[in-house]
Amino acid sequence: TLKGDNVLEDQILALTAELAAVKSAAQVTNTMFAEAYYYLTIPLMVLIHAGFLLYEMGATRVKNVLSSGMKNLLAFAFTIVTFYLFGWWFYWALPTFPYDLASGAGYMEISGIAYASAIALPWGDSAQYMGPNMADHASGVFWGAFALFAATTASIASGALIERIQTVGFVICAIVLGSFAWVVAAAWGWHADGWLVTEFGFHDFGAAGLVHAVAGFFALGVLLNLGPRVGKFNADGSANHIAGHNMPLTVTGLMLIIVGFFGFLMACIILPGEGWSWYADQGTTIYGTPMTLSALGFNIALAASGGIIGAWIITKDPFWMMSGCLAGIISVASGLDIYFGSTVIVIAMVAGMILKPCADWLEGFGIDDAVGAVTVHGTIGLFGVVVLGLLGSGAPGLGAFAPEDTVAISLFGQIVGAIVMFLLGFVPGYIVSWLVNKAGMLRIPDEVQIKGLDAVKVPARAYPESMVSPDSDS
């Protein structure tokens, strides 16, 4: 009997060791998959910038093509560098501001100055999380995804400003938007400790407000100080249409942005698995509420299609149809984790239908938004945030480990969030561009606009010289 007990004990120990090895192997596999998943969202989001590059160059006249492209490249580069130097720190330091800036009073306790300084500065003790570290499977890929979110805000704003903004002034505005204004919005409304979330139940899964609306209304603030392109408005206030030189390039660029959007939105999901999700066996949103890739599979495709159909009904214009595609996705982005397909189609179609009328209304105030960025991203972004308050009220604002008295999504909370997003975009945009304008670094002189920015600012040519007349409006 004793011998039998010993054999059984040995078998149990061997089985236990085998199960532990299987569990360890599964955890390694899950970690490697999660790391690869987030890593792949980064190049997918780079396609957003390839799309914006084509989109804005196509929407520009021949004489300004490379100047517009160069500014887009600089927005991408400078925003990522400055996000590394200080933007990431703001995201972790400011969620509870103005309630408890120093300690971080959020229920997850992953915020505040001390916490941010420990993990998000590229020097001192936190530098171990901001560079190569063989034991770290998360910091770099999470930072990379957020850095591409930041760069996207700068690219959104850049299209509205083409053909008359100075390079240095634009770079300053892009840095403020991508490494501060948007980051504060994300800290307050896209973080489990964010006060908009914990106090009002604000919900913006796909960043319709905190990326798109902030960027769109930041651009509006800049436009008020920048002024219109030469020749855009007549003496009586009527507007002239200034066509870009290559509509196919613009439409193709917009489609590439849609491809990149799949990466943007898949990066908004926290995968299941120990160390990656607040639930061990279920994916979540950044708020800890349930989310799956299945929802994105249905809703992104339906939203893009609904937006195209809505814009086609009103305009029959390929530019506005593809802008409607983008607007359709933005209009439902806040609630992609909540909406069913039929709801998505209706919201996206409405967004596509109101797009051109809203852009025309803005132009009626003498504002020259060259590509409709304020409307597509700003107006439709806020529209999407508020619509979620109407259709998603009662859904939980926070998920795993949330306190029992956590607030739910509500129309009031979404309206509060929409107002905050508008202000976080418009006010910094207006102030920084006003200061840059006072320093003489904002607007390109009229005579240079007439001649063409490429001829004066860029040591290269986009097209053969025969295509460009230096004294024309081409």
PDB file of all heavy atoms in Angstrom, residues 445-474:
ATOM      1  N   PRO A 445       3.017  84.798 -47.274  1.00  0.00           N
ATOM      2  CA  PRO A 445       2.617  86.033 -47.957  1.00  0.00           C
ATOM      3  C   PRO A 445       1.815  85.755 -49.229  1.00  0.00           C
ATOM      4  O   PRO A 445       2.022  84.746 -49.907  1.00  0.00           O
ATOM      5  CB  PRO A 445       3.966  86.699 -48.285  1.00  0.00           C
ATOM      6  CG  PRO A 445       4.914  86.151 -47.283  1.00  0.00           C
ATOM      7  CD  PRO A 445       4.464  84.736 -47.028  1.00  0.00           C
ATOM      8  N   ASP A 446       0.915  86.668 -49.542  1.00  0.00           N
ATOM      9  CA  ASP A 446       0.017  86.485 -50.686  1.00  0.00           C
ATOM     10  C   ASP A 446       0.776  86.302 -51.990  1.00  0.00           C
ATOM     11  O   ASP A 446       0.397  85.485 -52.839  1.00  0.00           O
ATOM     12  CB  ASP A 446      -0.938  87.675 -50.795  1.00  0.00           C
ATOM     13  CG  ASP A 446      -1.958  87.700 -49.666  1.00  0.00           C
ATOM     14  OD1 ASP A 446      -1.912  86.797 -48.808  1.00  0.00           O
ATOM     15  OD2 ASP A 446      -2.793  88.626 -49.629  1.00  0.00           O
ATOM     16  N   GLU A 447       1.870  87.056 -52.168  1.00  0.00           N
ATOM     17  CA  GLU A 447       2.608  86.959 -53.426  1.00  0.00           C
ATOM     18  C   GLU A 447       3.242  85.577 -53.607  1.00  0.00           C
ATOM     19  O   GLU A 447       3.370  85.065 -54.724  1.00  0.00           O
ATOM     20  CB  GLU A 447       3.674  88.055 -53.515  1.00  0.00           C
ATOM     21  CG  GLU A 447       4.691  88.065 -52.391  1.00  0.00           C
ATOM     22  CD  GLU A 447       4.265  88.940 -51.210  1.00  0.00           C
ATOM     23  OE1 GLU A 447       3.047  89.200 -51.068  1.00  0.00           O
ATOM     24  OE2 GLU A 447       5.160  89.349 -50.442  1.00  0.00           O
ATOM     25  N   VAL A 448       3.629  84.942 -52.492  1.00  0.00           N
ATOM     26  CA  VAL A 448       4.181  83.593 -52.572  1.00  0.00           C
ATOM     27  C   VAL A 448       3.074  82.595 -52.889  1.00  0.00           C
ATOM     28  O   VAL A 448       3.273  81.647 -53.660  1.00  0.00           O
ATOM     29  CB  VAL A 448       4.903  83.219 -51.261  1.00  0.00           C
ATOM     30  CG1 VAL A 448       5.391  81.779 -51.301  1.00  0.00           C
ATOM     31  CG2 VAL A 448       6.065  84.164 -51.006  1.00  0.00           C
ATOM     32  N   GLN A 449       1.904  82.794 -52.304  1.00  0.00           N
ATOM     33  CA  GLN A 449       0.766  81.936 -52.624  1.00  0.00           C
ATOM     34  C   GLN A 449       0.438  81.985 -54.108  1.00  0.00           C
ATOM     35  O   GLN A 449       0.145  80.956 -54.737  1.00  0.00           O
ATOM     36  CB  GLN A 449      -0.462  82.344 -51.810  1.00  0.00           C
ATOM     37  CG  GLN A 449      -0.383  82.065 -50.324  1.00  0.00           C
ATOM     38  CD  GLN A 449      -1.716  82.326 -49.632  1.00  0.00           C
ATOM     39  OE1 GLN A 449      -2.762  81.854 -50.067  1.00  0.00           O
ATOM     40  NE2 GLN A 449      -1.673  83.095 -48.559  1.00  0.00           N
ATOM     41  N   ILE A 450       0.485  83.182 -54.681  1.00  0.00           N
ATOM     42  CA  ILE A 450       0.164  83.338 -56.097  1.00  0.00           C
ATOM     43  C   ILE A 450       1.207  82.643 -56.972  1.00  0.00           C
ATOM     44  O   ILE A 450       0.871  81.969 -57.949  1.00  0.00           O
ATOM     45  CB  ILE A 450       0.058  84.837 -56.453  1.00  0.00           C
ATOM     46  CG1 ILE A 450      -1.154  85.457 -55.728  1.00  0.00           C
ATOM     47  CG2 ILE A 450      -0.054  85.033 -57.962  1.00  0.00           C
ATOM     48  CD1 ILE A 450      -1.201  86.969 -55.789  1.00  0.00           C
ATOM     49  N   LYS A 451       2.462  82.797 -56.630  1.00  0.00           N
ATOM     50  CA  LYS A 451       3.536  82.174 -57.402  1.00  0.00           C
ATOM     51  C   LYS A 451       3.543  80.664 -57.246  1.00  0.00           C
ATOM     52  O   LYS A 451       3.802  79.906 -58.195  1.00  0.00           O
ATOM     53  CB  LYS A 451       4.892  82.737 -56.962  1.00  0.00           C
ATOM     54  CG  LYS A 451       6.084  82.204 -57.757  1.00  0.00           C
ATOM     55  CD  LYS A 451       7.365  82.869 -57.328  1.00  0.00           C
ATOM     56  CE  LYS A 451       8.557  82.332 -58.122  1.00  0.00           C
ATOM     57  NZ  LYS A 451       8.435  82.594 -59.562  1.00  0.00           N
ATOM     58  N   GLY A 452       3.248  80.199 -56.055  1.00  0.00           N
ATOM     59  CA  GLY A 452       3.282  78.764 -55.762  1.00  0.00           C
ATOM     60  C   GLY A 452       4.312  78.463 -54.702  1.00  0.00           C
ATOM     61  O   GLY A 452       5.457  78.912 -54.772  1.00  0.00           O
ATOM     62  N   LEU A 453       3.913  77.675 -53.693  1.00  0.00           N
ATOM     63  CA  LEU A 453       4.806  77.388 -52.568  1.00  0.00           C
ATOM     64  C   LEU A 453       5.978  76.511 -52.985  1.00  0.00           C
ATOM     65  O   LEU A 453       7.083  76.665 -52.479  1.00  0.00           O
ATOM     66  CB  LEU A 453       4.026  76.711 -51.441  1.00  0.00           C
ATOM     67  CG  LEU A 453       3.239  77.622 -50.489  1.00  0.00           C
ATOM     68  CD1 LEU A 453       2.151  78.409 -51.205  1.00  0.00           C
ATOM     69  CD2 LEU A 453       2.613  76.802 -49.369  1.00  0.00           C
ATOM     70  N   ASP A 454       5.737  75.582 -53.904  1.00  0.00           N
ATOM     71  CA  ASP A 454       6.822  74.690 -54.302  1.00  0.00           C
ATOM     72  C   ASP A 454       7.979  75.451 -54.927  1.00  0.00           C
ATOM     73  O   ASP A 454       9.153  75.151 -54.670  1.00  0.00           O
ATOM     74  CB  ASP A 454       6.305  73.646 -55.289  1.00  0.00           C
ATOM     75  CG  ASP A 454       5.468  72.571 -54.616  1.00  0.00           C
ATOM     76  OD1 ASP A 454       5.219  72.687 -53.393  1.00  0.00           O
ATOM     77  OD2 ASP A 454       5.046  71.623 -55.305  1.00  0.00           O
ATOM     78  N   ALA A 455       7.662  76.442 -55.742  1.00  0.00           N
ATOM     79  CA  ALA A 455       8.707  77.204 -56.431  1.00  0.00           C
ATOM     80  C   ALA A 455       9.574  77.980 -55.455  1.00  0.00           C
ATOM     81  O   ALA A 455      10.754  78.233 -55.722  1.00  0.00           O
ATOM     82  CB  ALA A 455       8.068  78.159 -57.440  1.00  0.00           C
ATOM     83  N   VAL A 456       9.037  78.350 -54.310  1.00  0.00           N
ATOM     84  CA  VAL A 456       9.746  79.189 -53.351  1.00  0.00           C
ATOM     85  C   VAL A 456      10.310  78.379 -52.190  1.00  0.00           C
ATOM     86  O   VAL A 456      11.404  78.665 -51.687  1.00  0.00           O
ATOM     87  CB  VAL A 456       8.798  80.293 -52.817  1.00  0.00           C
ATOM     88  CG1 VAL A 456       9.494  81.153 -51.780  1.00  0.00           C
ATOM     89  CG2 VAL A 456       8.273  81.151 -53.964  1.00  0.00           C
ATOM     90  N   LYS A 457       9.584  77.345 -51.759  1.00  0.00           N
ATOM     91  CA  LYS A 457       9.910  76.667 -50.504  1.00  0.00           C
ATOM     92  C   LYS A 457      10.555  75.292 -50.660  1.00  0.00           C
ATOM     93  O   LYS A 457      11.174  74.798 -49.720  1.00  0.00           O
ATOM     94  CB  LYS A 457       8.621  76.495 -49.673  1.00  0.00           C
ATOM     95  CG  LYS A 457       7.901  77.799 -49.327  1.00  0.00           C
ATOM     96  CD  LYS A 457       8.598  78.525 -48.216  1.00  0.00           C
ATOM     97  CE  LYS A 457       7.787  79.737 -47.745  1.00  0.00           C
ATOM     98  NZ  LYS A 457       8.467  80.456 -46.647  1.00  0.00           N
ATOM     99  N   VAL A 458      10.402  74.650 -51.824  1.00  0.00           N
ATOM    100  CA  VAL A 458      10.799  73.256 -51.954  1.00  0.00           C
ATOM    101  C   VAL A 458      11.846  73.103 -53.061  1.00  0.00           C
ATOM    102  O   VAL A 458      11.603  73.542 -54.187  1.00  0.00           O
ATOM    103  CB  VAL A 458       9.580  72.358 -52.275  1.00  0.00           C
ATOM    104  CG1 VAL A 458       9.997  70.888 -52.319  1.00  0.00           C
ATOM    105  CG2 VAL A 458       8.480  72.566 -51.243  1.00  0.00           C
ATOM    106  N   PRO A 459      12.987  72.484 -52.780  1.00  0.00           N
ATOM    107  CA  PRO A 459      14.034  72.321 -53.795  1.00  0.00           C
ATOM    108  C   PRO A 459      13.797  71.106 -54.690  1.00  0.00           C
ATOM    109  O   PRO A 459      14.702  70.310 -54.957  1.00  0.00           O
ATOM    110  CB  PRO A 459      15.298  72.145 -52.948  1.00  0.00           C
ATOM    111  CG  PRO A 459      14.814  71.440 -51.736  1.00  0.00           C
ATOM    112  CD  PRO A 459      13.437  72.007 -51.456  1.00  0.00           C
ATOM    113  N   ALA A 460      12.553  70.920 -55.119  1.00  0.00           N
ATOM    114  CA  ALA A 460      12.203  69.805 -55.987  1.00  0.00           C
ATOM    115  C   ALA A 460      10.907  70.154 -56.699  1.00  0.00           C
ATOM    116  O   ALA A 460      10.233  71.129 -56.342  1.00  0.00           O
ATOM    117  CB  ALA A 460      12.043  68.517 -55.171  1.00  0.00           C
ATOM    118  N   ARG A 461      10.566  69.375 -57.727  1.00  0.00           N
ATOM    119  CA  ARG A 461       9.342  69.616 -58.475  1.00  0.00           C
ATOM    120  C   ARG A 461       8.520  68.335 -58.533  1.00  0.00           C
ATOM    121  O   ARG A 461       9.060  67.243 -58.769  1.00  0.00           O
ATOM    122  CB  ARG A 461       9.649  70.106 -59.888  1.00  0.00           C
ATOM    123  CG  ARG A 461      10.313  71.473 -59.921  1.00  0.00           C
ATOM    124  CD  ARG A 461       9.341  72.570 -59.459  1.00  0.00           C
ATOM    125  NE  ARG A 461      10.007  73.865 -59.370  1.00  0.00           N
ATOM    126  CZ  ARG A 461      10.575  74.350 -58.267  1.00  0.00           C
ATOM    127  NH1 ARG A 461      10.553  73.632 -57.140  1.00  0.00           N
ATOM    128  NH2 ARG A 461      11.134  75.532 -58.267  1.00  0.00           N
ATOM    129  N   ALA A 462       7.220  68.458 -58.363  1.00  0.00           N
ATOM    130  CA  ALA A 462       6.349  67.292 -58.376  1.00  0.00           C
ATOM    131  C   ALA A 462       6.078  66.804 -59.789  1.00  0.00           C
ATOM    132  O   ALA A 462       5.934  65.610 -60.028  1.00  0.00           O
ATOM    133  CB  ALA A 462       5.033  67.620 -57.678  1.00  0.00           C
ATOM    134  N   TYR A 463       6.010  67.729 -60.730  1.00  0.00           N
ATOM    135  CA  TYR A 463       5.628  67.401 -62.095  1.00  0.00           C
ATOM    136  C   TYR A 463       6.516  68.159 -63.075  1.00  0.00           C
ATOM    137  O   TYR A 463       7.200  69.116 -62.692  1.00  0.00           O
ATOM    138  CB  TYR A 463       4.157  67.764 -62.331  1.00  0.00           C
ATOM    139  CG  TYR A 463       3.203  66.999 -61.458  1.00  0.00           C
ATOM    140  CD1 TYR A 463       2.593  67.594 -60.356  1.00  0.00           C
ATOM    141  CD2 TYR A 463       2.906  65.658 -61.727  1.00  0.00           C
ATOM    142  CE1 TYR A 463       1.721  66.891 -59.549  1.00  0.00           C
ATOM    143  CE2 TYR A 463       2.028  64.948 -60.919  1.00  0.00           C
ATOM    144  CZ  TYR A 463       1.441  65.559 -59.839  1.00  0.00           C
ATOM    145  OH  TYR A 463       0.587  64.857 -59.046  1.00  0.00           O
ATOM    146  N   PRO A 464       6.520  67.769 -64.359  1.00  0.00           N
ATOM    147  CA  PRO A 464       7.308  68.513 -65.341  1.00  0.00           C
ATOM    148  C   PRO A 464       6.967  69.994 -65.354  1.00  0.00           C
ATOM    149  O   PRO A 464       5.824  70.391 -65.103  1.00  0.00           O
ATOM    150  CB  PRO A 464       6.914  67.840 -66.663  1.00  0.00           C
ATOM    151  CG  PRO A 464       6.487  66.468 -66.282  1.00  0.00           C
ATOM    152  CD  PRO A 464       5.836  66.612 -64.931  1.00  0.00           C
ATOM    153  N   GLU A 465       7.961  70.793 -65.638  1.00  0.00           N
ATOM    154  CA  GLU A 465       7.798  72.245 -65.589  1.00  0.00           C
ATOM    155  C   GLU A 465       6.674  72.737 -66.484  1.00  0.00           C
ATOM    156  O   GLU A 465       6.015  73.732 -66.198  1.00  0.00           O
ATOM    157  CB  GLU A 465       9.120  72.894 -66.003  1.00  0.00           C
ATOM    158  CG  GLU A 465       9.270  74.328 -65.540  1.00  0.00           C
ATOM    159  CD  GLU A 465      10.688  74.823 -65.767  1.00  0.00           C
ATOM    160  OE1 GLU A 465      11.630  74.198 -65.258  1.00  0.00           O
ATOM    161  OE2 GLU A 465      10.832  75.836 -66.459  1.00  0.00           O
ATOM    162  N   SER A 466       6.423  72.024 -67.571  1.00  0.00           N
ATOM    163  CA  SER A 466       5.384  72.438 -68.521  1.00  0.00           C
ATOM    164  C   SER A 466       3.996  72.418 -67.929  1.00  0.00           C
ATOM    165  O   SER A 466       3.072  73.051 -68.444  1.00  0.00           O
ATOM    166  CB  SER A 466       5.421  71.542 -69.762  1.00  0.00           C
ATOM    167  OG  SER A 466       5.206  70.186 -69.384  1.00  0.00           O
ATOM    168  N   MET A 467       3.814  71.671 -66.812  1.00  0.00           N
ATOM    169  CA  MET A 467       2.489  71.597 -66.193  1.00  0.00           C
ATOM    170  C   MET A 467       2.208  72.776 -65.266  1.00  0.00           C
ATOM    171  O   MET A 467       1.099  72.937 -64.784  1.00  0.00           O
ATOM    172  CB  MET A 467       2.354  70.294 -65.400  1.00  0.00           C
ATOM    173  CG  MET A 467       2.326  69.050 -66.236  1.00  0.00           C
ATOM    174  SD  MET A 467       2.073  67.554 -65.225  1.00  0.00           S
ATOM    175  CE  MET A 467       0.444  67.868 -64.549  1.00  0.00           C
ATOM    176  N   VAL A 468       3.231  73.585 -64.953  1.00  0.00           N
ATOM    177  CA  VAL A 468       3.083  74.632 -63.960  1.00  0.00           C
ATOM    178  C   VAL A 468       3.342  75.985 -64.598  1.00  0.00           C
ATOM    179  O   VAL A 468       4.411  76.214 -65.156  1.00  0.00           O
ATOM    180  CB  VAL A 468       4.035  74.429 -62.769  1.00  0.00           C
ATOM    181  CG1 VAL A 468       3.771  75.455 -61.693  1.00  0.00           C
ATOM    182  CG2 VAL A 468       3.913  73.019 -62.230  1.00  0.00           C
ATOM    183  N   SER A 469       2.375  76.873 -64.498  1.00  0.00           N
ATOM    184  CA  SER A 469       2.570  78.255 -64.928  1.00  0.00           C
ATOM    185  C   SER A 469       2.746  79.114 -63.692  1.00  0.00           C
ATOM    186  O   SER A 469       1.827  79.224 -62.871  1.00  0.00           O
ATOM    187  CB  SER A 469       1.374  78.747 -65.742  1.00  0.00           C
ATOM    188  OG  SER A 469       1.501  80.128 -66.025  1.00  0.00           O
ATOM    189  N   PRO A 470       3.916  79.710 -63.471  1.00  0.00           N
ATOM    190  CA  PRO A 470       4.193  80.406 -62.206  1.00  0.00           C
ATOM    191  C   PRO A 470       3.277  81.591 -61.959  1.00  0.00           C
ATOM    192  O   PRO A 470       3.153  82.044 -60.839  1.00  0.00           O
ATOM    193  CB  PRO A 470       5.643  80.858 -62.371  1.00  0.00           C
ATOM    194  CG  PRO A 470       5.901  80.868 -63.832  1.00  0.00           C
ATOM    195  CD  PRO A 470       5.062  79.775 -64.407  1.00  0.00           C
ATOM    196  N   ASP A 471       2.610  82.100 -62.984  1.00  0.00           N
ATOM    197  CA  ASP A 471       1.749  83.272 -62.787  1.00  0.00           C
ATOM    198  C   ASP A 471       0.277  82.910 -62.816  1.00  0.00           C
ATOM    199  O   ASP A 471      -0.584  83.775 -62.888  1.00  0.00           O
ATOM    200  CB  ASP A 471       2.028  84.313 -63.910  1.00  0.00           C
ATOM    201  CG  ASP A 471       3.461  84.830 -63.839  1.00  0.00           C
ATOM    202  OD1 ASP A 471       3.954  85.032 -62.716  1.00  0.00           O
ATOM    203  OD2 ASP A 471       4.085  84.995 -64.904  1.00  0.00           O
ATOM    204  N   SER A 472      -0.021  81.620 -62.761  1.00  0.00           N
ATOM    205  CA  SER A 472      -1.424  81.193 -62.814  1.00  0.00           C
ATOM    206  C   SER A 472      -1.889  80.672 -61.479  1.00  0.00           C
ATOM    207  O   SER A 472      -1.121  80.617 -60.515  1.00  0.00           O
ATOM    208  CB  SER A 472      -1.582  80.072 -63.870  1.00  0.00           C
ATOM    209  OG  SER A 472      -1.056  78.871 -63.378  1.00  0.00           O
ATOM    210  N   ASP A 473      -3.151  80.297 -61.417  1.00  0.00           N
ATOM    211  CA  ASP A 473      -3.710  79.730 -60.195  1.00  0.00           C
ATOM    212  C   ASP A 473      -3.690  78.199 -60.214  1.00  0.00           C
ATOM    213  O   ASP A 473      -4.355  77.557 -59.433  1.00  0.00           O
ATOM    214  CB  ASP A 473      -5.168  80.192 -60.011  1.00  0.00           C
ATOM    215  CG  ASP A 473      -5.242  81.676 -59.665  1.00  0.00           C
ATOM    216  OD1 ASP A 473      -4.280  82.175 -59.060  1.00  0.00           O
ATOM    217  OD2 ASP A 473      -6.254  82.302 -60.028  1.00  0.00           O
ATOM    218  N   SER A 474      -2.926  77.617 -61.115  1.00  0.00           N
ATOM    219  CA  SER A 474      -2.925  76.165 -61.253  1.00  0.00           C
ATOM    220  C   SER A 474      -2.348  75.469 -60.032  1.00  0.00           C
ATOM    221  O   SER A 474      -1.591  76.030 -59.282  1.00  0.00           O
ATOM    222  CB  SER A 474      -2.100  75.765 -62.484  1.00  0.00           C
ATOM    223  OG  SER A 474      -0.760  76.141 -62.320  1.00  0.00           O
TER     224      SER A 474
END
